[in-house]
Amino acid sequence: DTFTCSNNMGLTRGNDHKRRSTGGRRVAIHKKRKYELARAPSATKLGEKRIHTVRTMGGNKKYRALRLETGNFSWSSEGATRKTRIVDVIYNASNAELVRTNTLTKGAIVMIDATPFRQYYAAKYNKVMGQKKGKAVSKADSAILNRKKSKHLQRKLDSRANASRIDQHVSDAGVTGRLYARLSSRPGQSGRADGYILEGRELEFYIKKTEKK
């Protein structure tokens, strides 16, 4: 006869194995239950998109992202969201090992490609985002700036001139073609790596954190 070992009930989210708050041992009054089932962490890596579907309680589904390379990131102060490429993981408060292995988790600080946001800024304000003196304007930005404009559109662009000021750190980062962002979705649960661009004091905090490395 052959014996097969099932690992389906291996990991548990039950607390029978934990001690009481007083420090006393807790005696388990039942074995592991299906509704206490836990699963191995997804450890989503940076790479070509690969997602597995997991059947969960009630016939529902979770989307276990094993690898992701893009996500939707919002620019809060501008009220704009764009899909862009995730370039690198630079900080994770929970574990520095997740930075070395380029693992994507909720709350991870990542560097994203600034191109979609530079193009948005150029289209809205008719200016180059974070342009430095002596540095040539890219072809993509030039195409947007030099596009044919009606008088109505030109008046609209002129009226936005005063509102075109953005966070200095964001502007400086835009010159390099990279922006700091924070993941707010859970890649192992939703199969997505979405987040928001860091600005203001939160951005300053994480710049200091990454510099300390």
Side-chain angles (χ1 to χ4, degrees):
D1 293 341
T2 57
F3 175 75
T4 55
C5 178
S6 174
N7 292 321
N8 290 343
M9 298 289 285
L11 300 172
T12 180
R13 297 182 71 222
N15 62 357
D16 289 346
H17 63 288
K18 297 272 190 179
R19 286 180 176 266
R20 294 188 176 91
S21 59
T22 58
R25 285 187 66 239
R26 185 186 281 123
V27 178
I29 58 172
H30 63 68
K31 293 184 179 180
K32 293 176 183 178
R33 297 292 192 253
K34 179 71 173 177
Y35 58 76
E36 293 175 344
L37 174 71
R39 298 182 183 87
S42 61
T44 308
K45 296 288 190 291
L46 199 56
E48 188 178 352
K49 184 178 177 181
R50 189 180 182 197
I51 299 172
H52 282 184
T53 305
V54 180
R55 187 214 184 261
T56 60
M57 196 166 182
N60 296 305
K61 291 180 180 178
K62 284 185 179 180
Y63 299 96
R64 184 81 75 237
L66 303 179
R67 290 195 296 271
L68 288 173
E69 59 185 353
T70 59
N72 293 319
F73 290 86
S74 65
W75 190 356
S76 300
S77 63
E78 288 292 324
T81 301
R82 295 291 183 273
K83 183 178 180 180
T84 188
R85 186 170 56 92
I86 301 170
V87 179
D88 195 15
V89 179
I90 58 171
Y91 182 74
N92 196 311
S94 63
N95 190 348
E97 185 71 5
L98 300 177
V99 178
R100 189 185 68 80
T101 55
N102 271 344
T103 303
L104 301 174
T105 65
K106 180 177 178 177
I109 306 303
V110 297
M111 292 298 270
I112 60 173
D113 183 13
T115 303
F117 297 99
R118 285 175 60 88
Q119 291 175 350
Y120 157 81
Y121 186 87
K124 185 175 181 180
Y125 297 113
N126 206 40
K127 289 181 180 179
V128 177
M129 180 177 162
Q131 185 181 11
K132 296 217 169 173
K133 290 181 180 178
K135 189 168 183 178
V137 179
S138 68
K139 289 183 179 179
D141 288 342
S142 295
I144 295 171
L145 296 175
N146 299 327
R147 72 191 188 281
K148 191 175 181 181
K149 306 179 193 72
S150 65
K151 291 180 180 178
H152 173 72
L153 176 58
Q154 189 60 55
R155 286 197 301 271
K156 206 180 226 183
L157 293 171
D158 293 340
S159 69
R160 291 174 182 163
N162 293 332
S164 63
R165 291 181 183 175
I166 57 174
D167 188 298
Q168 188 59 46
H169 289 300
V170 175
S171 180
D172 293 343
V175 176
T176 65
R178 302 282 183 265
L179 293 173
Y180 289 82
R182 187 175 191 266
L183 295 185
S184 56
S185 68
R186 301 170 69 193
Q189 307 290 318
S190 63
R192 302 170 70 94
D194 299 338
Y196 59 92
I197 292 173
L198 294 173
E199 299 177 271
R201 294 182 69 180
E202 190 179 14
L203 175 56
E204 290 173 12
F205 174 82
Y206 284 114
I207 287 176
K208 287 177 183 176
K209 282 286 184 184
T210 53
E211 285 175 350
K212 284 180 183 176
K213 289 200 304 177

